[in-house]
Amino acid sequence: MSDAVHHHDAHGHGHGHDDHHEEGSHGSFGSYMIGFGLSVILTAIPFWLVMSGVLGNPQLTGVIIMIFAAAQVVVHMIYFLHMNTRVEGGWSFMAMMLTIVLVVIVLSGSMWVMYHLNANMMPHADMNMSATHDMSAMQNMSEMP
């Protein structure tokens, strides 16, 4: 074979490994355990808030759960996806910032939609009273000769 084919191997670059990802850390066991611990904590606290009803205000509980969800996304991106400002010339960090913006938009939009669905679609007490009155009036009309 010619020297041009083996020129790549002459510099210590074998076909079996890739040196292009050396600048980003792949994490250690300790960093994975920190990420796992934070993930468990960021899951357990909102679960406890909902199950115990400690706050007493469903809207406040929802906002706090959204904050914990956003924090958990950031923890996953840092500890498991290894995104920081040094990796890939900062593009990973820009992707993380875009993800955070999109998560805020999706979470706040979801809460807005759920709030308005609850306010506009759930039957209210005055609607139940008028519906019961209308049904009894219709029943009285059907009993007429």
Side-chain angles (χ1 to χ4, degrees), residues 4-82:
V5 173
H6 295 291
H7 182 67
H8 184 71
D9 289 336
H11 295 291
H13 299 289
H15 295 289
H17 75 86
D18 189 8
D19 287 333
H20 298 290
H21 298 288
E22 292 295 325
E23 65 187 54
S25 68
H26 290 288
S28 64
F29 181 75
S31 70
Y32 281 119
M33 292 312 296
I34 290 171
F36 176 72
L38 287 172
S39 296
V40 168
I41 290 169
L42 292 172
T43 301
I45 291 174
F47 184 80
W48 172 74
L49 287 173
V50 170
M51 294 305 289
S52 66
V54 145
L55 297 177
N57 185 352
Q59 287 81 18
L60 178 63
T61 304
V63 169
I64 290 176
I65 288 173
M66 283 185 1
I67 291 169
F68 276 102
Q72 191 164 41
V73 167
V74 171
V75 165
H76 283 245
M77 292 179 80
I78 291 171
Y79 287 99
F80 299 121
L81 297 177
H82 311 294

